[in-house]
């Protein structure tokens, strides 16, 4: 039984998709906690309503990144996590924090990495004139939005698109690929070979 801790900053729709899939498909895991860096994150209500311990570590109240990350780490580690899932967690993390969770922290980013790291990814995509765009689930490394890629989803960019329409089309796909990637992790099927993620075949009944 693997323990999962999910970090959010806001709406938490990816967190909801993962919790729903884990429960309905009875993955061998426990959603041990949902932790937000903002007290007003909407996703905290979902966690409370679904019996998941919810914690808040308010990033604004810490003077430095190091101090916040240290406080966050001590709250996370109380839940003895096998996996940390960043689900719309809008914080840049210190290398020390990332190293502590090396190989056991996933993030979802709303672009086809390595294109468009950072913020305003849909604006970046529209400005670049790309004809496809999407989302990426990746392991977290110290370099922002650059870790080994686990899963990607592609959507077309249509002539009438704006940032919001693209975000909506991509979010639908995020809710498919993030649960899939977390399930692979929980099943012990992910490994990293020279910075490239390998996904082992599902065990077959013979
Ligand atoms: C998602 O689109 C996610 O890809 C993005 O924030 C949104 C969170 O939505 N994450 C980032 O931009 C990380 N840099 P949610 O709170 O409803 O899951």
């Amino acid at each position: 039984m693997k323990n999962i801790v999910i970090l959010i900053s806001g709406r938490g729709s990816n967190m909801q998709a993962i919790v729903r899939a884990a429960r309905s498909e009875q993955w061998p895991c426990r959603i041990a906690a949902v932790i937000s860096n903002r007290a007003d994150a909407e996703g905290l209500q979902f966690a409370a309503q679904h019996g998941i311990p919810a914690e808040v570590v308010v990033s604004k109240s810490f003077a430095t990144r190091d101090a916040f990350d240290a406080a966050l780490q001590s709250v996370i580690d109380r839940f003895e996590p096998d996996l940390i899932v960043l689900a719309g967690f809008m914080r840049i993390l210190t290398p020390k924090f990332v190293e502590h969770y090396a190989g056991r922290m996933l993030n979802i980013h709303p672009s086809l990495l390595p294109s468009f790291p950072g913020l305003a990814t849909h604006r970046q995509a529209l400005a670049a004139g790309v004809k496809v765009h999407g989302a990426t689930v990746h392991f977290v490394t110290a370099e922002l939005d650059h870790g080994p890629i686990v899963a990607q989803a592609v959507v077309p960019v249509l002539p009438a698109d704006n940032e919001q329409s693209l975000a909506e089309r991509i979010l639908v796909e995020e809710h498919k690929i993030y649960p899939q990637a977390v399930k692979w992790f929980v099943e012990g099927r992910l490994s990293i070979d020279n910075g490239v993620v390998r996904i082992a075949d599902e065990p077959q009944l013979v």
Side-chain angles (χ1 to χ4, degrees):
M1 197 60 118
K2 289 198 167 85
N3 279 337
I4 299 179
V5 168
I6 305 180
L7 304 190
I8 63 169
S9 295
R11 181 177 55 186
S13 69
N14 278 289
M15 175 264 299
Q16 293 187 30
I18 291 164
V19 169
R20 289 206 166 98
R23 290 191 170 172
S24 68
E25 296 168 19
Q26 299 186 316
W27 301 351
C29 73
R30 179 185 307 111
I31 310 296
V34 169
I35 304 175
S36 171
N37 67 312
R38 297 174 54 123
D40 61 355
E42 284 169 63
L44 289 169
Q45 289 165 21
F46 175 90
Q49 286 159 3
H50 289 75
I52 301 167
E55 303 269 348
V56 179
V57 184
V58 179
S59 44
K60 272 193 311 204
S61 10
F62 292 84
T64 63
R65 265 187 208 287
D66 277 333
F68 171 69
D69 282 7
L72 180 63
Q73 184 177 315
S74 71
V75 175
I76 293 173
D77 285 350
R78 288 213 312 266
F79 297 98
E80 302 182 350
D82 299 286
L83 175 66
I84 316 299
V85 172
L86 306 183
F89 188 63
M90 303 305 281
R91 291 278 309 177
I92 293 173
L93 298 164
T94 55
K96 193 172 162 205
F97 180 93
V98 171
E99 182 54 35
H100 181 69
Y101 299 111
R104 55 186 176 123
M105 183 154 60
L106 293 174
N107 181 44
I108 190 157
H109 181 77
S111 80
L112 291 171
L113 291 173
S115 291
F116 315 133
L119 294 174
T121 55
H122 310 310
R123 196 179 316 153
Q124 292 187 58
L126 289 167
V130 292
K131 303 303 175 218
V132 293
H133 186 33
T136 303
V137 178
H138 64 97
F139 280 99
V140 177
T141 55
E143 192 179 355
L144 183 68
D145 300 331
H146 270 85
I149 292 171
V150 180
Q152 291 186 302
V154 180
V155 304
V157 180
L158 304 175
D161 268 327
N162 55 36
E163 286 182 58
Q164 193 187 336
S165 63
L166 265 182
E168 285 168 7
R169 190 175 308 124
I170 290 171
L171 194 65
V172 173
E173 303 305 317
E174 292 187 38
H175 295 167
K176 297 175 192 164
I177 61 170
Y178 214 179
Q180 175 65 260
V182 173
K183 183 164 183 265
W184 284 332
F185 186 97
V186 165
E187 291 172 343
R189 290 168 61 188
L190 298 182
S191 58
I192 305 173
D193 174 11
N194 267 331
V196 173
V197 173
R198 308 280 176 209
I199 304 159
D201 289 342
E202 203 164 355
Q204 304 288 316
L205 287 176
V206 284

